[in-house]
Amino acid sequence: MDHSYKHAITTQTYSTLIKTAGKNLQHVCHGLSRESGWWNDPKTGAPIDPKTPFLVPAKLMLCVTELSEACEGDRKGLPDDKLPHRPMLEVELADAIIRCFDLGGALGFDVGGAIAEKLAFNAQRADHKPENRAQAGGKAY
Ligand SMILES: [Mg+2]
C-alpha cells in the first residue's frame, strides 16, 4: 500500500477532507468578514458588490500585504503583536489565508475544491519531478 502524500491526495478520502475543510474555512472567513462589515460601504452601509471594478485587485493586494508582514516577521524574528505567544510569520500566514478564503467566499468560489484538485494535479506534474527540475531549464525552486 502506498502511504505517500502523492498517492493520498489522489484518493477520494483526502480530496473530500480538503474540500470540506476549505468549504468550512471559506464559510467562516467570509461570514465573519461580512458580519463585521468589510463588505459594506463604511459611510452608507450599502453592500459592496464583489464584482465592482478594481475590488478584486484591491482584495488581492490585501493578501499580499499579509504576506509582506509575514516576511517582515520572519526577517526580524518577531513574535506577533496581537498573538504574542505565536511567531509573527505564523499569524500573518493565517491572515493571508483568511483573506483568500474571504475573497473566495465573496465570489462564490469553491477554493477548497480547487486546492484538492490542484494538489492532485501538482502531484502528477512532470515539471515538478526532481529529475526534471534538475534538467536545463527546469524549475530551480
Ligand atoms: Mg496581518
Side-chain angles (χ1 to χ4, degrees), residues 3 6 8-9 29-30 36 48 51 55 58 63-64 85-86 104 113:
H3 293 286
K6 286 188 177 184
I9 194 60
C29 293
H30 182 58
S36 299
I48 296 172
K51 304 281 187 192
L55 185 76
C63 298
V64 171
H85 57 290
R86 293 183 180 274

Side-chain angles (χ1 to χ4, degrees), residues 6-7 9-10 114-134 137-139 141:
K6 286 188 177 184
H7 170 72
I9 194 60
T10 61
I115 290 171
E117 287 180 33
K118 195 65 198 306
L119 286 170
F121 177 81
N122 286 347
Q124 308 297 326
R125 287 177 71 152
D127 62 334
H128 284 195
K129 294 186 186 310
E131 61 271 22
N132 293 331
R133 290 180 49 214
K139 291 180 175 177
Y141 50 88

Side-chain angles (χ1 to χ4, degrees), residues 1-14:
M1 180 150 195
D2 187 349
H3 293 286
S4 73
Y5 287 105
K6 286 188 177 184
H7 170 72
I9 194 60
T10 61
T11 65
Q12 189 63 38
T13 302
Y14 270 74

